[in-house]
Amino acid sequence: MNELYGIEPRAFETVRELRLLLLAHGPYTGKYILEYPNSNAWRQQLLAHFSHVGDVERERLKSILTRAKEDRAAIEIQKLNWINTKDWIHNAIQIWSNKGDYKQIYVSDTDYKALNLSEASACKGVLINSMEPPPLTSSDVEIDTSAESYWGICSLLCKLSHIIHIIDPYFDPLKSSRKNIFRIFLSNFFEIPYLTELNFWIRKSSIGNSRGEIDFGQIEQMISKAAKNNKRNKKIRLNFVQDEDSIDKIHARYLLTNKGGIKVDQGFQELPSGRRNLVSAIAPEQYKRLYQMFSREDFQFKIETRIQF
């Protein structure tokens, strides 16, 4: 999840090869191509590399790059280090060698062989020969269950999106195991300017106090505190549903955005010390069905109470 790969602008001989690799990345796989050093520079270097192809193929390349950006297969991260006296590969190696979410770089066969001979230690494990198939990796990952970990695993997808839906039947914002998670998603929602909607889908009968009562006033106070003076163009909805008698159920736990989705196996909750939670990217067909279901409210269960801020 959230793995960042690089493509050396001259890594591929054909536009088709580049397209196939881009299709293997994005929110559906949890793997992304980083436009390094930035979107414009990377795009221009790719166009320069393919300057020998005909006009039709160049237009096709432009369309592929635009689609990759729209689908969030290729993404930009601001202010990455770049040294003008170094070429693309040597600059990229310095970024990807820091590891973390930065995984590997696809490079041309010629450069792969040359660099592995002359700079084996610096490049070890960082480079992928573009002639080889992409490595098979699972998007599944186990995380610890602090509020920071939940936001950490979801933050990249959220930052690439405008609309968020959190589906968790047991997500009680006032419960001790959920309260910090609610707060961290609220604070980041208000801080990220291009996020416009945050929606929660909760089973009403599964939360509240011993009498089934929900303190909506306290929830509103939490939202107001997180918002401070930053409420412009922001919308939050808490949808409390009654699904016991419905064909459609809110059982599995998800974070869905207008660009992709993440499944959270045990839901958004802080678990006892040492327990971990499995999260994974949602495959395209399932994502499209789920996102349509919640964004268009195309379901059979009833929204019993809706709170909007």
Side-chain angles (χ1 to χ4, degrees), residues 69-289:
K69 194 168 188 68
E70 289 173 350
D71 290 346
R72 305 303 194 262
I75 66 172
E76 181 178 17
I77 293 178
Q78 300 293 325
K79 298 179 180 178
L80 290 174
N81 190 47
W82 177 269
I83 300 173
N84 289 327
T85 55
K86 293 184 175 183
D87 62 15
W88 191 95
I89 291 180
H90 287 86
N91 270 294
I93 287 170
Q94 299 305 308
I95 299 295
W96 268 265
S97 293
N98 292 330
K99 298 301 180 184
D101 291 331
Y102 292 82
K103 296 303 178 184
Q104 292 173 300
I105 309 164
Y106 296 92
V107 299
S108 68
D109 181 53
T110 302
D111 288 332
Y112 180 82
K113 291 174 180 176
L115 284 164
N116 272 277
L117 285 171
S118 63
E119 301 178 73
S121 59
C123 303
K124 186 178 181 181
V126 177
L127 304 183
I128 305 174
N129 189 333
S130 63
M131 301 293 288
E132 300 296 326
L136 294 174
T137 59
S138 171
S139 70
D140 294 0
V141 62
E142 284 190 333
I143 63 169
D144 71 60
T145 61
S146 66
E148 290 76 16
S149 291
Y150 285 110
W151 174 250
I153 203 68
C154 297
S155 61
L156 180 56
L157 179 58
C158 291
K159 290 174 182 177
L160 298 173
S161 307
H162 299 294
I163 299 169
I164 301 171
H165 293 266
I166 292 177
I167 298 97
D168 186 338
Y170 303 103
F171 192 82
D172 186 338
L174 303 180
K175 193 173 181 179
S176 60
S177 60
R178 319 268 183 167
K179 186 179 289 187
N180 290 333
I181 300 168
F182 186 55
R183 283 175 175 151
I184 201 167
F185 273 86
L186 285 176
S187 63
N188 282 285
F189 171 71
F190 284 112
E191 287 175 11
I192 299 171
Y194 34 83
L195 282 174
T196 58
E197 287 186 28
L198 177 58
N199 303 276
F200 292 87
W201 298 87
I202 305 161
R203 182 182 296 124
K204 190 174 183 181
S205 63
S206 296
I207 69 167
N209 60 24
S210 59
R211 297 185 297 277
E213 299 167 339
I214 303 169
D215 190 341
F216 296 117
Q218 192 174 342
I219 295 173
E220 186 171 0
Q221 287 177 13
M222 292 175 70
I223 295 172
S224 297
K225 186 176 181 180
K228 299 178 183 176
N229 296 319
N230 190 17
K231 297 181 181 179
R232 187 178 179 183
N233 298 324
K234 300 282 187 179
K235 188 178 291 183
I236 296 179
R237 297 188 188 94
L238 282 83
N239 303 282
F240 299 94
V241 309
Q242 194 275 324
D243 67 345
E244 286 84 351
D245 302 321
S246 170
I247 297 173
D248 296 326
K249 306 285 185 184
I250 55 168
H251 175 68
R253 288 74 153 178
Y254 305 105
L255 179 136
L256 304 174
T257 81
N258 59 304
K259 291 299 177 182
I262 295 171
K263 183 176 181 179
V264 183
D265 187 52
Q266 298 179 70
F268 293 85
Q269 60 174 321
E270 293 182 297
L271 297 169
S273 179
R275 289 181 60 186
R276 299 176 70 80
N277 203 346
L278 182 69
V279 298
S280 55
I282 302 174
E285 291 307 313
Q286 185 186 23
Y287 161 74
K288 290 173 185 175
R289 178 182 62 80

